[in-house]
Amino acid sequence: ALVEKSDAAEDVKFQAKTYLTQGIVLPLKLQRIVESAGNTIFAPLVVDGMAGEGKMTQLQRALRGVSGVLYVTVKESNAKIWPCIAEALKLTGVKDDDDVRLTMMEAFRKYKRETGKIPTIIVDDMHHALEKDNENTEAFLSNCSAAFDQGTFNSVFLGGGRVAEKIDDLNVPGLRARLEKADFVSHDP
């Protein structure tokens, strides 16, 4: 169960909560994702932290065995968001970025229709796409913003360099106001 804390000092303590059964420490907002996986729509979330700190690793460990999660890694060598999503979806022979977008959206809708659960896309190293593929990244973020409004899928963006600020600089209607932000500090359980 999720516990809301209004007191800032108490919230800081709560953020350090350990998943004792798994030995995983996550920031509060990431804990909420794990605890509500597939059952709740939540605002798009950006988690900033140092590169190589273990954001994706810890999240994957915490979500082990949870279905409906698409893990995408944006590679520095190919920082285009749609090809990275195509790779995560194991798509072959796609014609263009719009095909990837349509296929992703249909896969998410189908999953939700068949399971009654809300899928989640987790994009690691989002800073690469924001630095090298602004136009397509902006289109992807617009999809994520609309998905929140429609309850289609959840989105989490992990990055190692001011990802929240870079997203704020883009022209994505409504995203800035609803974007949740969290900082990740590495913990060795």
Side-chain angles (χ1 to χ4, degrees), residues 94-157:
V94 290
K95 297 176 191 146
D96 57 25
D97 295 343
D98 204 43
D99 279 350
V100 176
R101 183 185 64 79
L102 293 171
T103 302
M104 177 189 79
M105 294 302 293
E106 181 52 35
F108 286 159
R109 282 189 202 101
K110 181 179 178 185
Y111 177 82
K112 186 176 179 187
R113 198 173 42 248
E114 291 177 357
T115 67
K117 298 214 176 254
I118 301 164
T120 299
I121 185 169
I122 300 174
V123 182
D124 193 19
D125 293 331
M126 184 71 171
H127 57 281
H128 295 311
L130 288 161
E131 291 164 359
K132 299 178 181 175
D133 189 28
N134 268 358
E135 183 180 331
N136 289 313
T137 303
E138 194 170 296
F140 167 67
L141 291 169
S142 291
N143 276 269
C144 294
S145 183
F148 172 69
D149 291 337
Q150 299 161 6
T152 310
F153 66 88
N154 291 315
S155 47
V156 179
F157 315 113

Side-chain angles (χ1 to χ4, degrees), residues 52-110:
E53 199 169 42
K55 294 174 291 297
M56 180 64 103
T57 301
Q58 292 286 42
L59 202 47
Q60 284 176 319
R61 283 179 55 203
L63 290 169
R64 186 175 291 136
V66 174
S67 63
V69 180
L70 178 65
Y71 298 100
V72 176
T73 299
V74 178
K75 297 174 182 71
E76 187 172 14
S77 60
N78 181 15
K80 296 189 178 293
I81 192 74
W82 295 115
C84 294
I85 291 170
E87 183 179 319
L89 287 168
K90 297 178 178 36
L91 298 179
T92 57
V94 290
K95 297 176 191 146
D96 57 25
D97 295 343
D98 204 43
D99 279 350
V100 176
R101 183 185 64 79
L102 293 171
T103 302
M104 177 189 79
M105 294 302 293
E106 181 52 35
F108 286 159
R109 282 189 202 101
K110 181 179 178 185

Side-chain angles (χ1 to χ4, degrees), residues 23 25 53 58 186-189:
V25 178
E53 199 169 42
Q58 292 286 42
S186 180
H187 296 284
D188 292 323

Side-chain angles (χ1 to χ4, degrees), residues 36-52:
S36 66
N39 298 315
T40 307
I41 190 76
F42 54 81
L45 173 63
V46 172
V47 181
D48 267 324
M50 298 294 291

